[in-house]
Amino acid sequence: MFIVPKDIFFDYCEFIFSFLFHFKDKIKFHNPSIFEKRTMGYIGEILTGIYFTNLNYSKKVELISFPIYFIENTDLECDIKPAFKDKNITVCFSSDNNYIKYISVAIESLIEHSDKNNNYDILIFEKEIKRHFKDKILLQISKHNNISIRFINIKVLANKYLSNINKTINHYNESIFYRYYIPQLLKKYNKAVYLDCDLIILDDIADLYNIDLENNSLGAVRDIEMHRWLKDRKIRQEKIDFNNNMGIKDSTKYFNSGVLIMNLEKMRELNATNKLINITLDKLKNI
């Protein structure tokens, strides 16, 4: 890649193509390999170096070199479509390499209690799960035609928007915030169940998915552990103060975010993804 004045570019083209057209009919291969098929390209690269090196030595122009950059994951959002045309039960997890063995157990329990009349569309939001871990997870469903597993890499979104959250509250793993992006990334979906990795499913997850949320954004249950803490005189006030700083005025309404039914359509209407990130960043300043 280079930027040059128009007259130099035209001169470069005359130089390089006069050679390439000369070689074109003289180089023949029998059953050429993939590298031999690219011979003209390799010659062109060599000639390009010769041309600009000559310009530099002749002092006709001043050459300036810039650092090389490697850009990956240029698409912030991919087009994710339901895995099945009908009876698509959408289940989302978020994980990293440290939790892969737990998510494997959770998925196995989902499989054990699945119904052959349903289709299970499992989406795992992750950043850099190793390939051999992914292969082991996919092997679990190899004999089940009604179960799909896909890994959704949100590295770019996580690095861009979650890095501040991760630095602000270090004892929380970054992957717990990946659920924020489910409404934004699953634009072709109207509903999903979100589950934490460290769960064992004891019934058909479709029963949870099929609960009618009506016009509500979320389906959740109040956290029983929070109620236990509120009955403990030693830590009661500490928990209340923490919740107040997080904007939770009534600690008895604190719910378990590890099992959620998400009305994605309603959450998109409310611009939930951006609001959740901004609120989290703002509230964590008080901790």
Side-chain angles (χ1 to χ4, degrees), residues 70-241:
F70 179 73
I71 302 174
E72 61 179 353
N73 295 329
T74 55
D75 294 329
L76 289 181
E77 300 179 24
C78 49
D79 188 23
I80 306 169
K81 299 177 182 179
F84 303 96
K85 291 183 179 180
D86 55 9
K87 295 184 178 180
N88 196 84
I89 309 301
T90 310
V91 182
C92 300
F93 293 92
S94 61
S95 184
D96 56 24
N97 289 304
N98 296 318
Y99 281 83
I100 203 69
K101 57 186 176 182
Y102 306 112
I103 202 171
S104 175
V105 173
I107 289 172
E108 190 63 29
S109 68
L110 185 153
I111 294 171
E112 288 294 321
H113 296 89
S114 63
D115 185 334
K116 64 180 181 180
N117 296 313
N118 290 322
N119 295 313
Y120 301 85
D121 186 0
I122 301 173
L123 299 152
I124 302 174
F125 292 81
E126 52 92 19
K127 191 172 175 180
E128 292 176 335
I129 292 180
K130 295 178 181 178
R131 182 70 257 172
H132 68 276
F133 285 153
K134 292 181 180 180
D135 291 340
K136 288 182 178 180
I137 294 293
L138 293 173
L139 187 62
Q140 290 183 246
I141 63 164
S142 59
K143 297 180 180 179
H144 301 274
N145 295 327
N146 67 328
I147 300 177
S148 165
I149 292 181
R150 286 175 287 174
F151 292 86
I152 311 301
N153 190 314
I154 64 165
K155 180 178 179 180
V156 173
L157 285 169
N159 288 349
K160 185 173 183 180
Y161 298 106
L162 298 181
S163 57
N164 289 333
I165 292 176
N166 203 32
K167 291 176 182 177
T168 305
I169 189 158
N170 294 325
H171 60 280
Y172 282 168
N173 188 295
E174 181 187 272
S175 64
I176 72 169
F177 299 104
Y178 293 172
R179 72 197 76 183
Y180 285 180
Y181 290 101
I182 294 174
Q184 179 178 331
L185 292 176
L186 301 190
K187 292 181 179 178
K188 302 284 177 70
Y189 294 74
N190 294 326
K191 193 177 186 181
V193 169
Y194 172 83
L195 301 174
D196 275 350
C197 300
D198 54 347
L199 294 173
I200 294 178
I201 299 163
L202 299 177
D203 211 336
D204 186 359
I205 197 66
D207 294 342
L208 185 65
Y209 177 89
N210 288 326
I211 292 176
D212 186 1
L213 293 180
E214 298 178 353
N215 197 41
N216 295 297
S217 301
L218 285 176
V221 297
R222 294 182 182 180
D223 194 318
I224 192 170
E225 187 69 1
M226 179 60 70
H227 282 266
R228 185 182 70 82
W229 287 333
L230 293 176
K231 292 181 182 297
D232 188 328
R233 293 181 180 179
K234 294 181 180 179
I235 61 174
R236 172 184 169 83
Q237 195 57 48
E238 176 187 339
K239 293 299 177 184
I240 291 174
D241 292 342

